[in-house]
Amino acid sequence: MALFDRLKDQAKNLQQQAQGGRGTTAGGAGHGGSHGSRGGSRAQLVGVLKTQLGSLKTELKSGAYRDASMAMCALVAAADGHVDAAEIQQMESLILGNDVLQNFPPEQLRTRFHKHVDQLTHNFPQGKAEALQEIAKAAKKPTEARAVIQTGIVIAGADGHFSQAEQSILREACATLNLQPAEFQL
């Protein structure tokens, strides 16, 4: 799908920037790539973003990133308005298996993730507002802010289905972090 190819190209450009490559060519994110299979490009996107986040692992150790990422994961899990036990278990497995999130003790991640899921389950509008407030704390550091969105995209795309509800939540998180959704092709 074109969306995933554009996200993959954008992720590559962001990774080059993070590794010290100062310039991104003007054509970097908007051109190229409508090749590959649909499932392949989704899997490639998730792989590229995981690699990019992994390259930033040493920079992503703050409590703000940890807390914002757990709020983002909970919002992605609840994007369709409900979360069942199997989805929570799958999401927790993705979180604990994430290379960058291994910077933090698993129990800290679980506690923060479940706190947001519980809030979203009991009162979605209020839980969403609280999660977005937590996400906003990462806005002070652009690298962390972008990493929160990328973490959300990786989690959302891990099941091979990137729903409209998930994309909408990610766009709202971009606005909260003062990032342009177009930067992530959302």
Side-chain angles (χ1 to χ4, degrees):
M1 298 183 98
L3 169 69
F4 291 102
D5 289 331
R6 288 191 309 262
L7 281 169
K8 180 176 71 175
D9 290 343
Q10 181 66 27
K12 286 180 185 176
N13 289 334
L14 289 170
Q15 184 174 10
Q16 289 169 352
Q17 287 175 343
Q19 292 174 345
R22 289 216 27 144
T24 323
T25 61
H31 297 294
S34 61
H35 59 283
S37 68
R38 287 181 184 157
S41 68
R42 284 181 185 164
Q44 288 173 342
L45 170 65
V46 170
V48 166
L49 289 177
K50 281 182 180 178
T51 299
Q52 179 186 4
L53 287 167
S55 72
L56 298 172
K57 183 175 181 174
T58 58
E59 296 176 50
L60 300 173
K61 293 184 176 182
S62 77
Y65 170 72
R66 175 201 59 210
D67 296 349
S69 292
M70 291 306 90
M72 184 80 258
C73 290
L75 280 171
V76 166
D80 62 1
H82 72 281
V83 185
D84 61 33
E87 192 172 9
I88 290 171
Q89 186 174 12
Q90 178 188 19
M91 190 66 69
E92 192 173 299
S93 175
L94 290 169
I95 290 166
L96 296 178
N98 182 290
D99 188 45
V100 175
L101 294 174
Q102 289 177 1
N103 280 335
F104 309 102
E107 205 48 48
Q108 287 182 7
L109 299 174
R110 276 190 196 97
T111 299
R112 284 159 175 83
F113 173 68
H114 285 280
K115 175 189 116 182
H116 287 291
V117 168
D118 290 345
Q119 291 171 334
L120 289 160
T121 302
H122 290 103
N123 183 337
F124 186 81
Q126 182 179 346
K128 180 177 166 184
E130 291 180 22
L132 289 172
Q133 284 178 338
E134 197 73 56
I135 288 169
K137 294 176 184 176
K140 295 174 188 170
K141 296 182 181 177
T143 298
E144 289 183 5
R146 285 178 176 82
V148 169
I149 299 300
Q150 293 167 327
T151 298
I153 292 170
V154 166
I155 296 296
D159 64 359
H161 179 69
F162 197 40
S163 74
Q164 290 297 324
E166 290 167 338
Q167 290 180 51
S168 178
I169 286 289
L170 287 161
R171 283 191 292 273
E172 287 185 62
C174 283
T176 298
L177 292 166
N178 300 314
L179 298 172
Q180 294 298 316
E183 179 180 338
F184 304 95
Q185 302 298 320
L186 294 169

